[in-house]
Amino acid sequence: MTPYTVIALVVALSLAQYAFLAAAAGPRVIIVGAGMSGISAGKRLSDAGITDLLILEATDHVGGRMHKQNFAGINVEVGANWVEGVNGGKMNPIWPIVNSTLKLRNFRSDFDYLAQNVYKEDGGLYDEDYVQKRIDLADSVEESGEKLSGTLHTSGRDDMSILAMQRLYDHQPNGPATPVDMSVDYYKYDYEFAEPPRVTSLQNTVPLPTFNDFGDDVYFVADQRGYESVVYYLAGQYLKTDKSGKIVDPRLKLNKVVREISYSPSGVTVKTEDNSVYRADYVMVSASLGVLQSDLIQFKPQLPSWKVVAIYQFDMAVYTKIFVKFPKRFWPEGKGREFFLYASSRRGYYAAWQEFEKQYPGANVLLVTVTDEESRRIEQQSDNQTKAEIMEGHLLQLANWCEPLRV
Ligand SMILES: Cc1cc2nc3c(=O)[nH]c(=O)nc-3n(C[C@H](O)[C@H](O)[C@H](O)COP(=O)(O)OP(=O)(O)OC[C@H]3O[C@@H](n4cnc5c(N)ncnc54)[C@H](O)[C@@H]3O)c2cc1C
Ligand SMILES: *[C@@H]1O[C@H](CO)[C@@H](O)[C@H](O)[C@H]1NC(C)=O
Ligand SMILES: *[C@@H]1O[C@H](CO)[C@@H](O)[C@H](O)[C@H]1NC(C)=O
């Protein structure tokens, strides 16, 4: 053995010892929730040398609202589907993971042809030039709103709803009101924010930092491994996995529903539904606003009122993706046909549609998105009722109209 290797060995040994001591001396952190936030938080802590972690997840899987589900023989995304904000000045950190590392199948969504694809309530398409003019008008109102937004005090004290801004610039007391204008409005705002312009903050969404920073493009992920594989990938950076990629690290505990968090200057105690008790120096809670607004997790003592008020200030928005499969295709496909709108006289009634010629070829599946009040209503009814509603509108007309063409 040369002296050099001995020295190297001694250094390595003392480093190992140091790492051991650092881990033991570092804080123990419990993370509630193993969705994108919780798993990312664990990675950040781990990268910073804080490795004494415990992640408690209520369900039997990681990923949370990034989740695939088998539907009619294909895996579709029931939660997040798009990488939002690509091709801009800064790199969206998710994008290289999706497009380079994991190479998840993805497709840029092109909304430029929407004007050709707006259906009347009783079937048939609206005139493209007419729709384009209404889109241009809505875009110019939004541009004025963006300028206004830039002048508002950064504290948010002057913030207003998008609808208030629209009233200011389009002089209609109720905002967009015709079926076409409502469907364009729905596409521009509700389809992105899951809530109507009446309750959506101007300052926080126009412009939307995601698009401002990372670019205007959005890419639809349609990969049989699921968009959730991004979360598994991040988890695999610091949690032990077996050969098949399954997370086997004891620091991740699944099926642990956190019900109580007691905290004091000396640390935290976390209790789960199955009466397990965990102690730590800190806890990070990544459960959704919806969970925090319910009394599912009891904080002892109660959270300070400024925090409670902040939690109650916001709505847990509801965004429902309804996939429908047909025995055969009766809708148009080809360039510019992917996205279509149904211009109902009832705002947000099965308004936004997508076909999957490229993503799921031959599957004959369509996606219709509903949000907010329509979501709450539809989620209460049977699937059969929903199917019947879907087939009453333009789709029935489209199906009837296309049938003779096929014969
Ligand atoms: C239908 C839908 C479509 C979407 N589309 C997009 C999109 O296209 N692009 C995009 O960027 N974003 C989209 N989003 C938003 C995106 O999915 C979320 O912002 C993101 O996944 C949230 O991650 P999170 O970790 O903050 O929360 P979650 O994913 O909700 O993770 C929280 C985790 O905590 C767990 N948990 C909750 N309560 C407890 C408890 N008491 N004890 C233990 N664990 C608990 C939950 O089970 C969950 O796993 C969409 C969301 C939905 C619902
Ligand atoms: C995604 O990756 C592909 C293949 O490497 C590449 O050709 C393409 O330019 C990438 N897309 C973007 C928007 O970066
Ligand atoms: C839904 O409709 C199908 C076909 O019409 C029928 O077989 C099924 O029983 C219905 N389901 C419910 C829950 O009503």
Side-chain angles (χ1 to χ4, degrees):
M1 211 184 249
T2 67
Y4 288 107
T5 30
V6 172
I7 291 167
L9 199 65
V10 170
V11 171
L13 273 177
S14 53
L15 277 178
Q17 211 167 10
Y18 176 75
F20 170 76
L21 287 173
R28 176 175 165 79
V29 181
I30 291 177
I31 297 172
V32 180
M36 189 62 161
S37 310
I39 291 296
S40 300
K43 178 165 156 41
R44 287 294 281 265
L45 290 172
S46 208
D47 289 348
I50 299 166
T51 54
D52 192 2
L53 306 171
L54 181 66
I55 306 174
L56 301 173
E57 165 57 43
T59 69
D60 64 359
H61 56 267
V62 311
R65 280 173 277 173
M66 297 175 83
H67 195 53
K68 66 173 188 282
Q69 191 169 308
N70 195 268
F71 173 72
I74 49 171
N75 286 332
V76 296
E77 300 295 333
V78 289
N81 223 142
W82 279 277
V83 182
E84 307 223 326
V86 182
N87 296 326
K90 284 193 241 167
M91 178 64 85
N92 184 334
I94 294 182
W95 183 242
I97 303 175
V98 167
N99 198 51
S100 304
T101 310
L102 300 176
K103 296 191 177 6
L104 296 182
R105 253 177 107 239
N106 63 77
F107 302 84
R108 192 177 79 84
S109 292
D110 189 350
F111 297 100
D112 287 348
Y113 299 88
L114 218 50
Q116 302 176 9
N117 303 308
V118 180
Y119 286 90
K120 295 177 182 168
E121 217 159 6
D122 53 0
L125 287 163
Y126 278 95
D127 175 66
E128 182 185 344
D129 290 338
Y130 169 71
V131 178
Q132 193 56 56
K133 286 204 183 79
R134 305 313 294 176
I135 293 176
D136 293 345
L137 175 69
D139 287 345
S140 79
V141 168
E142 189 182 39
E143 269 166 41
S144 306
E146 186 166 338
K147 287 202 191 87
L148 172 66
S149 177
T151 68
L152 303 179
H153 195 269
T154 49
S155 68
R157 67 166 189 227
D158 304 328
D159 195 13
M160 65 184 81
S161 68
I162 290 176
L163 177 59
M165 174 278 285
Q166 290 174 321
R167 287 182 178 127
L168 211 51
Y169 295 110
D170 75 5
H171 310 291
Q172 288 179 297
N174 297 311
T178 66
V180 168
D181 287 354
M182 286 191 294
S183 71
V184 169
D185 196 48
Y186 187 88
Y187 153 72
K188 284 179 71 76
Y189 301 108
D190 307 50
Y191 189 45
E192 181 66 34
F193 304 125
E195 289 198 308
R198 180 170 46 78
V199 296
T200 303
S201 152
L202 175 69
Q203 215 174 347
N204 292 299
T205 61
V206 181
L208 194 69
T210 307
F211 297 132
N212 236 24
D213 294 349
F214 301 136
D216 287 329
D217 289 343
V218 300
Y219 285 74
F220 187 91
V221 175
D223 192 290
Q224 291 305 294
R225 290 169 285 173
Y227 197 173
E228 69 198 40
S229 45
V230 171
V231 184
Y232 282 90
Y233 167 75
L234 290 174
Q237 305 271 293
Y238 65 100
L239 296 176
K240 219 175 290 153
T241 53
D242 68 11
K243 272 185 230 117
S244 72
K246 189 168 170 258
I247 303 165
V248 292
D249 198 300
R251 292 174 297 169
L252 171 69
K253 293 201 185 303
L254 301 174
N255 303 307
K256 290 287 181 186
V257 181
V258 170
R259 296 306 302 260
E260 194 184 295
I261 299 175
S262 312
Y263 61 101
S264 74
S266 65
V268 294
T269 303
V270 174
K271 289 189 191 150
T272 56
E273 205 156 70
D274 60 2
N275 291 317
S276 305
V277 178
Y278 304 95
R279 280 177 233 287
D281 300 304
Y282 299 97
V283 63
M284 296 176 82
V285 181
S286 76
S288 70
L289 200 58
V291 169
L292 294 173
Q293 288 176 349
S294 74
D295 55 4
L296 187 69
I297 303 177
Q298 274 202 22
F299 289 90
K300 291 188 176 175
Q302 281 183 354
L303 292 174
S305 62
W306 65 265
K307 196 172 276 193
V308 172
V309 169
I311 288 168
Y312 286 122
Q313 280 284 327
F314 290 88
D315 296 336
M316 178 75 194
V318 193
Y319 187 98
T320 311
K321 298 164 73 172
I322 306 170
F323 290 90
V324 267
K325 185 178 173 70
F326 296 89
K328 60 183 172 184
R329 176 179 73 82
F330 56 82
W331 51 90
E333 326 179 305
K335 190 172 161 62
R337 293 295 182 191
E338 181 175 351
F339 297 95
F340 53 102
L341 300 177
Y342 172 50
S344 171
S345 49
R346 179 165 151 189
R347 195 181 182 286
Y349 189 76
Y350 302 102
W353 292 78
Q354 185 176 0
E355 64 87 23
F356 296 118
E357 176 191 9
K358 286 180 295 182
Q359 291 87 345
Y360 309 119
N364 298 334
V365 167
L366 292 177
L367 166 63
V368 56
T369 300
V370 294
T371 56
D372 198 53
E373 284 173 16
E374 279 300 330
S375 279
R376 291 177 209 278
R377 182 187 70 79
I378 289 167
E379 288 189 6
Q380 295 303 312
Q381 71 188 16
S382 70
D383 284 356
N384 277 1
Q385 183 62 33
T386 304
K387 257 192 259 177
E389 288 179 356
I390 284 174
M391 288 312 298
E392 262 163 29
H394 64 128
L395 277 198
L396 179 64
Q397 306 298 328
L398 195 57
N400 287 342
W401 174 73
C402 286
E403 209 53 37
L405 287 182
R406 293 180 155 261
V407 185

